[in-house]
Amino acid sequence: MPNAISGFSKLSKLDKIDWLISTYFTDKDSAKQLITQYWNSDEKLQKLHDEFIENTITNYYLPLGVAPNFLINDALYTIPMAIEESSVVAAASKAAKFWLDRGGFKAEVIATEKIGQVHFTFDGNFTALQSFFNKVKPKLIESASGITKNMQRRGGGILDIELKNKTEDLANYYQLHATFETLDAMGANFINSCLEQFAQTFKSEAEDTLDGNLDIVMSILSNYVPNCLVKAEVSCPIADLKSKDIEHPEIFVQKFKQAINIAEIEPYRAVTHNKGIMNGIDAVVLATGNDFRAVEAGVHAYASRNGKYASLTHCTITDGMFKFWIEIPLALGTIGGLTGLHPLVKFSLELLEKPTAKALMQVVAVAGLAQNFAAVKSLTTTGIQEGHMKMHLMNILNQFEATAIEKAEIVNHFKTNVVTHSAVVDALKKLRN
Ligand code: MEV
């Protein structure tokens, strides 16, 4: 076991790498070569990336792909996607093309409210606390005016603050539950700064006028944003679904709907179903420099809002029409954070024609819906492995360091043969012999 190290963060990047390599690696030269090989030769660009986090030693690449032909509210988009999983971009592109000929996607933002809370304890009388809060509320808002000035000028700011009594769930526990409009910013810094100011003002006002001990526990935004909601849908006459993969649309829609119904009532399936949706959502969220962990946490909480984890997408078949939609909470930003810093994030946002946060919410929801349509369509028709393994073929070939000629031969061979890991290895061995 290596010894603990103190002062690691103060070492230079090269000294950090040398310590790691001398402590953990046997083939020291190749480890160092690997780490430094991933540095960008443009020193300024590398420094930018080094400074995003602490203790950076190198860059960790993810592919940035694009899915073209997304018709959303009658405008065409090419959607950037940063993701390592093979077949996700291909599936999105396929779904985009499929719906391009059938009216495209319709999307609408239902609401854009963000939430933050000051969590505190109080051991005095609730009625007294309530009337103290009512009196002090304008002062709380006023005390944050330095923080809210610019946001307010643009049309956003604090929407409301409520006092919530949570003592039935936890002794002496209360909240200041605040709502915000943060426009094109995700708003985490703005919200957290407002909350910390509310907490400070609330505490100091309470000290002068309220009987009982009031203690601030913490002030933090919530990543659960059920009122920051977007909906995306596709619909068309059932007969119009006829295509290369859908020979009998009537049978297809029944089976497709059954698959959605299963995800609506069966949590084991719902988790995988929603994971497929998040393949599309996370990829766009990441490409556009947004916080995919926040989005994941909020979306999954929303999927359980009725007390049981369930599908985020829904489907109806009425009067000969097939309708398929998603409704999800998304707190996204197109200004602030990484959006103005990471060159590829800037590229992705420009590719999306510099969207507002609302427009980005629509694009992201559509990517999730498209991904789910592609997955459920495959699952209920050909099965998922056919497409997956075709895409996985390249990964296997790369793993065995196949040459360009070998790749071409093997890809050709598997146009008419079933791809499995062992079949690919066997074919490669045969070719090499
Ligand atoms: C794989 O990443 C995603 C799927 O499992 C989604 C689904 O089952 O719906 C294919």
PDB file of all heavy atoms in Angstrom, residues 85 269 272-273 275-276 279 372 375-376 379 384 388, ligand 1:
ATOM      1  N   GLU A  85     -21.023   5.705 -25.787  1.00  0.00           N
ATOM      2  CA  GLU A  85     -21.721   4.440 -26.082  1.00  0.00           C
ATOM      3  C   GLU A  85     -22.042   4.329 -27.571  1.00  0.00           C
ATOM      4  O   GLU A  85     -22.744   5.175 -28.128  1.00  0.00           O
ATOM      5  CB  GLU A  85     -23.020   4.362 -25.262  1.00  0.00           C
ATOM      6  CG  GLU A  85     -23.716   3.013 -25.427  1.00  0.00           C
ATOM      7  CD  GLU A  85     -24.950   2.868 -24.534  1.00  0.00           C
ATOM      8  OE1 GLU A  85     -24.986   3.456 -23.447  1.00  0.00           O
ATOM      9  OE2 GLU A  85     -25.881   2.162 -24.965  1.00  0.00           O
ATOM     10  N   ARG A 269     -38.280  -2.402 -15.546  1.00  0.00           N
ATOM     11  CA  ARG A 269     -38.222  -2.014 -16.956  1.00  0.00           C
ATOM     12  C   ARG A 269     -38.103  -0.484 -17.087  1.00  0.00           C
ATOM     13  O   ARG A 269     -37.359   0.019 -17.937  1.00  0.00           O
ATOM     14  CB  ARG A 269     -39.468  -2.542 -17.692  1.00  0.00           C
ATOM     15  CG  ARG A 269     -39.609  -2.062 -19.129  1.00  0.00           C
ATOM     16  CD  ARG A 269     -38.389  -2.374 -20.007  1.00  0.00           C
ATOM     17  NE  ARG A 269     -38.351  -1.492 -21.180  1.00  0.00           N
ATOM     18  CZ  ARG A 269     -37.237  -1.104 -21.797  1.00  0.00           C
ATOM     19  NH1 ARG A 269     -36.055  -1.527 -21.407  1.00  0.00           N
ATOM     20  NH2 ARG A 269     -37.303  -0.294 -22.819  1.00  0.00           N
ATOM     21  N   THR A 272     -34.520   0.927 -17.057  1.00  0.00           N
ATOM     22  CA  THR A 272     -33.762   0.705 -18.305  1.00  0.00           C
ATOM     23  C   THR A 272     -34.334   1.566 -19.433  1.00  0.00           C
ATOM     24  O   THR A 272     -33.593   2.139 -20.239  1.00  0.00           O
ATOM     25  CB  THR A 272     -33.828  -0.785 -18.701  1.00  0.00           C
ATOM     26  OG1 THR A 272     -33.660  -1.550 -17.528  1.00  0.00           O
ATOM     27  CG2 THR A 272     -32.777  -1.135 -19.720  1.00  0.00           C
ATOM     28  N   HIS A 273     -35.657   1.646 -19.472  1.00  0.00           N
ATOM     29  CA  HIS A 273     -36.364   2.477 -20.448  1.00  0.00           C
ATOM     30  C   HIS A 273     -35.884   3.935 -20.318  1.00  0.00           C
ATOM     31  O   HIS A 273     -35.486   4.556 -21.311  1.00  0.00           O
ATOM     32  CB  HIS A 273     -37.856   2.348 -20.110  1.00  0.00           C
ATOM     33  CG  HIS A 273     -38.791   3.140 -20.946  1.00  0.00           C
ATOM     34  ND1 HIS A 273     -39.410   2.633 -22.061  1.00  0.00           N
ATOM     35  CD2 HIS A 273     -39.260   4.399 -20.808  1.00  0.00           C
ATOM     36  CE1 HIS A 273     -40.214   3.544 -22.574  1.00  0.00           C
ATOM     37  NE2 HIS A 273     -40.128   4.634 -21.834  1.00  0.00           N
ATOM     38  N   LYS A 275     -33.176   4.941 -18.797  1.00  0.00           N
ATOM     39  CA  LYS A 275     -31.731   5.003 -19.062  1.00  0.00           C
ATOM     40  C   LYS A 275     -31.508   5.265 -20.549  1.00  0.00           C
ATOM     41  O   LYS A 275     -30.651   6.055 -20.941  1.00  0.00           O
ATOM     42  CB  LYS A 275     -31.068   3.697 -18.618  1.00  0.00           C
ATOM     43  CG  LYS A 275     -29.551   3.701 -18.702  1.00  0.00           C
ATOM     44  CD  LYS A 275     -29.019   3.317 -20.069  1.00  0.00           C
ATOM     45  CE  LYS A 275     -27.492   3.324 -20.097  1.00  0.00           C
ATOM     46  NZ  LYS A 275     -26.937   3.146 -21.435  1.00  0.00           N
ATOM     47  N   GLY A 276     -32.306   4.605 -21.380  1.00  0.00           N
ATOM     48  CA  GLY A 276     -32.193   4.818 -22.822  1.00  0.00           C
ATOM     49  C   GLY A 276     -32.520   6.261 -23.185  1.00  0.00           C
ATOM     50  O   GLY A 276     -31.873   6.870 -24.044  1.00  0.00           O
ATOM     51  N   ASN A 279     -29.614   8.394 -22.403  1.00  0.00           N
ATOM     52  CA  ASN A 279     -28.521   8.293 -23.394  1.00  0.00           C
ATOM     53  C   ASN A 279     -28.546   9.525 -24.294  1.00  0.00           C
ATOM     54  O   ASN A 279     -27.520  10.130 -24.584  1.00  0.00           O
ATOM     55  CB  ASN A 279     -28.722   7.066 -24.294  1.00  0.00           C
ATOM     56  CG  ASN A 279     -28.216   5.781 -23.659  1.00  0.00           C
ATOM     57  OD1 ASN A 279     -27.472   5.813 -22.697  1.00  0.00           O
ATOM     58  ND2 ASN A 279     -28.630   4.653 -24.203  1.00  0.00           N
ATOM     59  N   ASN A 372     -35.555   7.219 -27.175  1.00  0.00           N
ATOM     60  CA  ASN A 372     -36.484   6.225 -26.642  1.00  0.00           C
ATOM     61  C   ASN A 372     -37.293   5.584 -27.777  1.00  0.00           C
ATOM     62  O   ASN A 372     -37.531   4.373 -27.779  1.00  0.00           O
ATOM     63  CB  ASN A 372     -37.410   6.906 -25.628  1.00  0.00           C
ATOM     64  CG  ASN A 372     -38.261   5.931 -24.843  1.00  0.00           C
ATOM     65  OD1 ASN A 372     -39.464   6.131 -24.719  1.00  0.00           O
ATOM     66  ND2 ASN A 372     -37.675   4.884 -24.308  1.00  0.00           N
ATOM     67  N   ALA A 375     -35.012   3.093 -29.438  1.00  0.00           N
ATOM     68  CA  ALA A 375     -34.768   1.897 -28.616  1.00  0.00           C
ATOM     69  C   ALA A 375     -35.997   0.999 -28.587  1.00  0.00           C
ATOM     70  O   ALA A 375     -35.902  -0.206 -28.834  1.00  0.00           O
ATOM     71  CB  ALA A 375     -34.364   2.305 -27.201  1.00  0.00           C
ATOM     72  N   VAL A 376     -37.158   1.591 -28.305  1.00  0.00           N
ATOM     73  CA  VAL A 376     -38.371   0.762 -28.170  1.00  0.00           C
ATOM     74  C   VAL A 376     -38.769   0.172 -29.523  1.00  0.00           C
ATOM     75  O   VAL A 376     -39.233  -0.966 -29.600  1.00  0.00           O
ATOM     76  CB  VAL A 376     -39.515   1.578 -27.505  1.00  0.00           C
ATOM     77  CG1 VAL A 376     -40.801   0.767 -27.452  1.00  0.00           C
ATOM     78  CG2 VAL A 376     -39.104   2.008 -26.109  1.00  0.00           C
ATOM     79  N   LEU A 379     -36.394  -2.720 -29.923  1.00  0.00           N
ATOM     80  CA  LEU A 379     -36.712  -3.785 -28.969  1.00  0.00           C
ATOM     81  C   LEU A 379     -37.948  -4.564 -29.375  1.00  0.00           C
ATOM     82  O   LEU A 379     -38.009  -5.782 -29.201  1.00  0.00           O
ATOM     83  CB  LEU A 379     -36.927  -3.187 -27.569  1.00  0.00           C
ATOM     84  CG  LEU A 379     -35.672  -2.716 -26.834  1.00  0.00           C
ATOM     85  CD1 LEU A 379     -36.033  -1.869 -25.628  1.00  0.00           C
ATOM     86  CD2 LEU A 379     -34.827  -3.907 -26.404  1.00  0.00           C
ATOM     87  N   ILE A 384     -32.597  -5.499 -29.906  1.00  0.00           N
ATOM     88  CA  ILE A 384     -31.603  -4.425 -29.820  1.00  0.00           C
ATOM     89  C   ILE A 384     -30.224  -4.876 -30.261  1.00  0.00           C
ATOM     90  O   ILE A 384     -29.409  -4.080 -30.722  1.00  0.00           O
ATOM     91  CB  ILE A 384     -31.558  -3.883 -28.358  1.00  0.00           C
ATOM     92  CG1 ILE A 384     -31.109  -2.426 -28.331  1.00  0.00           C
ATOM     93  CG2 ILE A 384     -30.686  -4.718 -27.449  1.00  0.00           C
ATOM     94  CD1 ILE A 384     -32.162  -1.460 -28.680  1.00  0.00           C
ATOM     95  N   HIS A 388     -26.834  -2.937 -32.109  1.00  0.00           N
ATOM     96  CA  HIS A 388     -25.780  -2.727 -31.111  1.00  0.00           C
ATOM     97  C   HIS A 388     -24.492  -3.417 -31.507  1.00  0.00           C
ATOM     98  O   HIS A 388     -23.415  -2.838 -31.457  1.00  0.00           O
ATOM     99  CB  HIS A 388     -26.230  -3.320 -29.767  1.00  0.00           C
ATOM    100  CG  HIS A 388     -26.686  -2.280 -28.808  1.00  0.00           C
ATOM    101  ND1 HIS A 388     -26.579  -2.426 -27.457  1.00  0.00           N
ATOM    102  CD2 HIS A 388     -27.246  -1.080 -29.016  1.00  0.00           C
ATOM    103  CE1 HIS A 388     -27.066  -1.358 -26.873  1.00  0.00           C
ATOM    104  NE2 HIS A 388     -27.483  -0.533 -27.794  1.00  0.00           N
TER     105      HIS A 388
HETATM  106  C1  MEV B   1     -28.961   0.907 -23.787  1.00  0.00           C
HETATM  107  O1  MEV B   1     -27.977   1.886 -23.512  1.00  0.00           O
HETATM  108  C2  MEV B   1     -30.328   1.509 -23.695  1.00  0.00           C
HETATM  109  C3  MEV B   1     -31.495   0.528 -23.858  1.00  0.00           C
HETATM  110  O2  MEV B   1     -31.346  -0.550 -22.935  1.00  0.00           O
HETATM  111  C4  MEV B   1     -32.745   1.304 -23.592  1.00  0.00           C
HETATM  112  C5  MEV B   1     -34.005   0.466 -23.498  1.00  0.00           C
HETATM  113  O3  MEV B   1     -33.932  -0.713 -23.145  1.00  0.00           O
HETATM  114  O4  MEV B   1     -35.079   1.047 -23.759  1.00  0.00           O
HETATM  115  C6  MEV B   1     -31.498  -0.082 -25.222  1.00  0.00           C
END
